[in-house]
Structures are given as structure tokens and as C-alpha cells.
């Protein structure tokens, strides 16, 4: 059986190791962080994430979906908070059972690593930082940070599951004709907390993703099982009102008082959180190909980091694992072909998701407050009911089905053209009829 070395045991690394372990491959998984069981969780990254159908399907393939979902909180829709504190609830789907699920990054990460460790042929090495990759061997150079010893990991293939700033991808960037681009949003993000009420309960509706849309920026909050909410402020790095210009406690307090007055009383540690929590950046990475012959492949954010506004980065990374596993099973004797198939099945979908995610930022921060947007959502749900199986809103296709992202985007575009086209034709006909009636009545 081939021997795989995986670099990075974030959300997708543990899952990929579990898939490979299940097929009987020899797997060594190297992670620069300490063992999350020792309480060392992903600092500076989102504490909770929205897990939806694609991610759940991947977990089901490994038989760990039920166990993971026990820690999840279903969110049925968006709870919009306007500046006066008024609330408006917009369900995600006409079927109230279709939810996205708030799940802790740490719990999920631990579950996938444990799933991998159930296979005796999978070994996980924490405190191992990859410093470089020799693509042709293929071999990874690692530093064991607990002993300061250098280690070389050789095998048949390396899989880079080492996130948006992948060291494995960096080695591939030196290859002739390797495509690479990265682009940052002008916005950064900062995490803040709404703690539980004194009796341990949630201080806002728990089965919703809360949004405070403020046109050019927004804050969101997802519930945690302990009764708290993790809030994320997405705000411009620079500009007259921005992270750059809002530094002192008084400035932060004034900004939150003006923009999120209903949230401030729920955030007793606001000033401390704002001061101490890092401001993260939001990057989109596109590259290709995602493999080097039969020796190296990229999975998850290492291949396609997207901004978080569709809540799909991790779901897409999990879907990568499913597809790569399928390709390796389909072409067991030709790994180069399996890698190439994996790339060709995923690339256009990753690109489509990158566009959808940027577009959804504008929708969440700006359009969710408009009555035209709410009317469109109601029309979406109405049409879905009247035309079951024929009309599916884009959000539902992305979050509640496994229709490939690119196909979902194309289908939504076609649907919009037909619906808006029909609306324009009907309005024109009604207007023409009204004119005829008016003229003939004179
Ligand atoms: C604010 C925010 C909110 C998000 N919300 C959602 C959401 O709601 N839903 C969703 O689906 N997605 C969400 N995402 C996206 C999601 O976090 C990523 O898509 C997901 O983490 C990708 O998983 P990954 O395993 O590819 O990368 P990561 O989770 O980044 O894992 C990479 C791992 O590699 C390790 N590593 C890196 N370099 C090295 C090295 N040199 N040597 C050894 N190890 C290394 C890292 O320590 C890490 O453990 C969000 C992202 C952000 C920033």
C-alpha cells in the first residue's frame, strides 16, 4: 500500500487522514500545533463555524456525523438586528428542518483527528512544523518543535492540507506554469463574545445566525453550546471609521453604541475583547494544478481559500476529501490520474465558491435590510413550493444539497433570468392591457 505524508491537521487534515486510513494506506499526519486534546486549540481563528449538508455528508462517510452533530446547534435562519434594535427573522429555507449548524472548531477538529487515529495505520505527529518540501522525492522537511530536531518524512505522496498559507503549495509555486493568485478584502475580522445569562441560557435567540448589517460592514453572532455567542465584526482595516482609526476604549465604545446598541449591554468584556483579540485578514487563494504528477496534492484552503461569507470553506474542504478519496478508489493503480481527476472535478467548483462567497458579503452586510431583498427571498420560497424540484434558491442549493457549486451558480443564474424575464413580460402585458382598457373606455 502507498505511504502518504499529510501536512496539517486542521479541519480537513484529520478527515483526509481518516479517509486514507480507511482505505488501508499508511498515513503520517504532521501538525505544527500541539495536540488539541491538551487544550491547545486554534488561536486567532473563528471559534465556531457553520456546518451544512456537504460537510455533514463527508462526516457521514466516516461514520462520525451523529457524534459531531451532538455538539452542534441548528440555526434556522438569519436574525437581522437593525440600528434601533428591531429584529427581523428570515428563514434559510421554506422547510424549517433545513438548518445550518453552529459547531465549535475545536470539537470538530478533535473529532476528525480521533476518527483518523482509530485506524492503526494512521499516525499523528503534533509539534511538527513543515519547513519545506522536495516535490520530486517526495519528502517533507519538518522541525519537531518539542525537541528542536529536524525530521525528514519520505513516502509515496505528500498531501498539503496546511491551510491558506500552505508551505506545500509554496513549493509547487516554483513549478513551471503553476497558476497562483491571492487577493485580500479591504475588511478584516475580530472576534468578540456575548457570554451566557446568569442561569446559563442564551441571551438571544439561539436557533439563528444573528446579523447586524450596516452596509459597508457588519457583525454576526453564532451560538455556542455553553450558552454564549461568538460575535465576529467584519470591518474595514483602513478609512475614516475603521479598525485603524478606532483604537481607544472611548472610540470603541462610541462606535459600538452607535452601530450595535442592542448588542452592547450583552457584551460586558467588549473593550477587553476588542483590545486583546487579533484582527484577522480575509484572503481568497486560487491556484492550479492542485497536484504534481502522482507525488503531491493540495486539499482544502491550501488549494482554494475563500472568504467566509457563505459559510462554506470548511464544507468545501470536507467535500474535497470525499472527492479525492473517490478518485483514489476509482484509479487505484494510477495515482497521477486520480490526482488529475480530483483537480478537474473540483477546480471550477472552488472558483465558483470563491465568487459566491465574495458576493454573499455584499448581500449579508447590505442587502439583508432591504425590502426588495426580503421580497426576493419570499418569492424564492414561494417558487420553491410551487415548482418543487424545478426551482431551488441558490442559498438552498449551496447549503442544503451537494449540487456542485459551479452548477448551482449557473442554475441560479438561469432561474433568475427566467423569473425576472417573466416578471418583466407580465408587467408589460398588464400595463399594455391597462392602457387598452383605459383608451377604449374613453
Ligand atoms: C472568520 C472565519 C470564519 C469561517 N467560518 C466558516 C464557516 O462558518 N463555515 C465553513 O465551512 N468555513 C468557514 N471558514 C473557513 C474554514 O475555517 C476553512 O475553510 C477551513 O478551516 C479549511 O480547513 P483546512 O484544513 O484546509 O485548513 P486549516 O483549518 O487552516 O488547517 C490547516 C492546518 O495546517 C497546519 N499547518 C499550517 N502550516 C503548517 C506547517 N508548515 N507545518 C505543519 N502544519 C501546518 C495549521 O496549524 C492547521 O492546523 C471560516 C474562516 C474564517 C477565517
Amino acid at each position: 500500500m502507498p505511504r502518504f505524508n499529510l501536512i496539517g491537521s486542521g479541519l480537513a487534515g484529520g478527515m483526509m487522514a481518516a479517509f486514507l486510513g480507511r482505505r488501508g494506506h499508511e498515513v503520517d499526519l504532521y501538525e505544527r500545533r500541539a495536540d488539541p486534546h491538551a487544550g491547545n486549540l486554534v488561536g486567532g481563528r473563528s471559534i465556531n463555524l457553520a456546518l451544512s449538508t456537504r460537510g455533514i455528508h463527508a462526516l457521514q462517510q466516516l461514520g462520525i456525523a451523529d457524534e459531531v452533530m451532538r455538539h452542534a446547534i441548528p440555526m434556522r435562519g438569519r436574525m437581522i438586528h437593525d440600528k434601533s434594535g428591531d429584529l427581523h427573522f428570515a428563514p434559510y429555507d421554506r422547510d424549517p428542518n433545513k438548518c445550518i449548524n453552529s459547531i465549535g472548531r475545536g470539537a470538530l477538529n478533535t473529532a476528525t483527528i480521533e476518527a483518523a487515529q482509530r485506524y492503526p495505520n494512521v499516525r499523528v505527529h503534533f509539534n511538527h512544523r513543515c519547513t519545506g518540501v522536495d516535490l520530486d522525492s517526495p519528502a517533507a522537511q519538518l522541525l519537531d518543535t518539542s525537541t528542536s530536531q529536524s525530521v525528514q518524512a519520505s513516502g509515496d505522496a505528500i498531501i498539503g492540507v496546511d491551510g491558506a498559507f500552505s508551505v506545500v503549495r509554496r513549493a509547487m509555486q516554483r513549478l513551471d506554469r503553476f497558476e497562483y493568485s491571492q487577493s485580500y478584502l479591504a475588511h478584516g475580522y475580530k472576534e468578540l463574545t456575548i457570554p451566557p445569562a446568569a442561569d446559563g441560557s442564551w441571551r438571544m435567540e439561539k436557533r439563528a445566525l444573528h446579523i447586524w448589517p450596516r452596509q459597508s460592514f457588519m457583525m454576526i453572532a453564532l451560538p455556542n453550546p455553553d450558552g454564549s455567542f461568538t460575535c465576529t465584526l467584519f470591518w474595514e482595516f483602513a478609512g475614516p471609521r475603521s479598525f485603524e482609526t478606532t483604537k481607544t476604549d472611548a472610540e470603541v465604545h462610541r462606535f459600538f453604541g452607535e452601530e450595535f446598541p442592542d448588542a452592547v449591554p450583552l457584551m460586558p468584556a467588549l473593550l477587553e475583547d476588542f483590545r486583546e483579540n487579533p484582527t484577522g485578514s480575509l484572503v481568497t487563494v486560487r491556484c492550479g494544478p492542485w497536484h504534481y504528477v502522482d507525488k503531491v496534492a493540495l486539499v482544502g484552503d491550501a488549494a482554494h481559500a475563500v472568504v467566509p461569507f457563505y459559510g462554506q470553506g470548511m464544507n468545501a474542504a470536507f467535500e474535497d476529501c470525499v472527492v479525492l478519496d473517490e478518485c483514489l478508489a476509482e484509479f487505484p493503480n494510477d495515482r497521477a490520474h486520480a490526482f488529475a481527476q480530483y483537480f478537474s472535478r473540483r477546480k471550477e467548483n472552488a472558483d465558483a465558491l470563491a465568487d459566491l462567497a465574495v458576493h454573499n458579503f455584499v448581500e449579508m452586510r447590505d442587502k439583508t435590510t432591504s425590502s426588495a431583498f426580503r421580497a426576493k427571498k419570499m418569492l424564492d420560497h414561494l417558487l420553491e413550493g410551487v415548482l418543487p424540484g424545478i426551482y431551488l434558491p441558490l442559498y438552498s442549493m449551496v447549503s442544503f444539497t451537494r449540487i456542485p457549486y459551479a452548477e448551482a451558480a449557473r442554475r441560479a443564474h438561469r432561474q433568475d433570468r427566467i423569473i425576472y424575464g417573466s416578471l418583466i413580460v407580465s408587467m408589460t402585458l398588464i400595463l399594455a392591457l391597462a392602457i387598452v382598457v383605459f383608451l377604449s373606455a374613453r
Side-chain angles (χ1 to χ4, degrees):
M1 268 292 183
R3 185 186 189 101
F4 285 84
N5 287 312
L6 268 56
I7 308 299
S9 82
L11 293 176
M15 171 165 287
M16 195 67 239
F19 273 113
L20 292 169
R22 193 177 62 155
R23 296 260 178 222
H25 298 291
E26 288 297 319
V27 181
D28 285 275
L29 175 56
Y30 295 94
E31 165 59 48
R32 67 180 171 192
R33 287 178 290 121
D35 187 342
H37 293 98
N40 188 313
L41 295 176
V42 256
R45 299 290 300 278
S46 62
I47 289 166
N48 52 23
L49 306 110
L51 172 67
S52 50
T53 297
R54 295 164 203 269
I56 296 171
H57 169 257
L59 295 166
Q60 281 165 344
Q61 302 305 296
L62 292 175
I64 56 170
D66 291 344
E67 171 193 330
V68 167
M69 292 305 282
R70 271 201 288 278
H71 304 284
I73 300 179
M75 300 179 288
R76 285 187 44 234
R78 296 162 164 166
M79 184 69 82
I80 312 292
H81 296 239
D82 72 18
K83 266 196 179 185
S84 60
D86 285 346
L87 300 179
H88 170 84
F89 181 72
Y92 282 126
D93 196 90
R94 60 190 302 278
D95 175 354
N97 295 316
K98 288 200 176 142
C99 302
I100 59 172
N101 303 279
S102 177
I103 180 95
R105 190 181 280 271
L108 194 51
N109 201 180
T110 309
T112 52
I113 293 172
E114 282 173 0
Q117 285 173 323
R118 280 178 204 150
Y119 299 98
N121 43 324
V122 176
R123 294 157 293 273
V124 187
H125 313 267
F126 293 103
N127 302 307
H128 278 70
R129 182 160 61 82
C130 178
T131 52
V133 171
D134 174 354
L135 300 176
D136 281 306
S137 306
Q141 288 86 48
L142 298 135
L143 179 71
D144 178 342
T145 51
S146 56
T147 61
S148 300
Q149 297 281 305
S150 295
V151 181
Q152 168 141 313
S154 306
D156 296 294
I158 290 177
I159 302 192
V161 214
D162 49 344
F165 304 99
S166 166
V167 169
V168 181
R169 187 189 62 228
R170 204 184 306 147
M172 291 171 71
Q173 282 171 236
R174 288 194 288 271
L175 289 169
D176 188 33
R177 301 184 61 229
F178 185 84
E179 298 277 354
Y180 175 74
S181 76
Q182 67 176 33
S183 66
Y184 284 93
L185 289 190
H187 295 68
Y189 71 93
K190 191 180 282 287
E191 294 203 334
L192 307 159
T193 306
I194 293 180
D199 63 357
S201 62
W202 289 265
R203 303 177 80 183
M204 303 187 295
E205 168 58 50
K206 109 180 190 203
R207 287 168 61 91
L209 188 152
H210 294 259
I211 312 181
W212 290 257
R214 297 294 181 260
Q215 296 194 313
S216 72
F217 62 93
M218 69 173 179
M219 183 166 79
I220 65 168
L222 273 73
N224 295 310
D226 67 355
S228 67
F229 285 84
T230 302
C231 305
T232 312
L233 170 67
F234 295 98
W235 199 18
E236 285 94 339
F237 272 110
R241 269 173 111 217
S242 62
F243 281 119
E244 188 184 68
T245 54
T246 309
K247 292 269 189 258
T248 65
D249 286 358
E251 286 163 348
V252 173
H253 196 262
R254 189 176 333 116
F255 169 68
F256 273 79
E258 282 168 15
E259 297 296 342
F260 314 116
D262 62 331
V264 173
L266 310 178
M267 304 170 92
L270 168 64
L271 299 177
E272 198 182 329
D273 281 353
F274 196 93
R275 230 181 292 125
E276 287 173 11
N277 293 352
T279 308
S281 52
L282 297 162
V283 69
T284 300
V285 170
R286 297 174 200 252
C287 70
W290 295 352
H291 70 107
Y292 173 61
V293 288
D294 62 343
K295 295 174 192 287
V296 181
L298 301 174
V299 166
D301 277 14
H304 51 76
V306 297
V307 294
F309 305 107
Y310 231 113
Q312 285 294 316
M314 160 197 61
N315 288 284
F318 283 2
E319 207 170 42
D320 284 352
C321 299
V322 173
V323 175
L324 180 52
D325 176 60
E326 282 167 3
C327 292
L328 288 167
E330 246 175 84
F331 308 103
N333 302 318
D334 189 350
R335 197 169 51 249
H337 190 61
F339 282 173
Q341 274 296 309
Y342 154 70
F343 173 59
S344 84
R345 290 179 197 182
R346 294 300 289 158
K347 172 62 174 164
E348 74 157 351
N349 294 309
D351 285 344
L353 175 60
D355 295 337
L356 288 172
V358 171
H359 184 258
N360 215 42
F361 185 29
V362 181
E363 178 164 315
M364 286 175 85
R365 72 179 198 219
D366 193 4
K367 298 195 180 151
T368 41
T369 45
S370 87
S371 32
F373 174 82
R374 286 178 196 166
K376 165 81 167 78
K377 287 285 159 202
M378 279 164 71
L379 180 66
D380 269 352
H381 293 168
L382 185 80
L383 289 169
E384 192 186 355
V386 178
L387 304 168
I390 298 173
Y391 186 91
L392 262 180
L394 177 59
Y395 190 87
S396 300
M397 285 192 271
V398 170
S399 302
F400 305 130
T401 77
R402 292 193 294 120
I403 296 172
Y405 294 115
E407 196 183 318
R410 282 193 293 267
R411 188 167 157 183
H413 191 64
R414 268 199 314 273
Q415 288 179 170
D416 279 355
R417 271 209 328 256
I418 295 169
I419 300 301
Y420 290 117
S422 320
L423 276 177
I424 290 168
V425 170
S426 324
M427 304 281 271
T428 315
L429 285 176
I430 291 169
L431 193 67
L433 197 68
I435 292 170
V436 170
V437 170
F438 175 74
L439 290 177
S440 53
R442 288 181 70 195

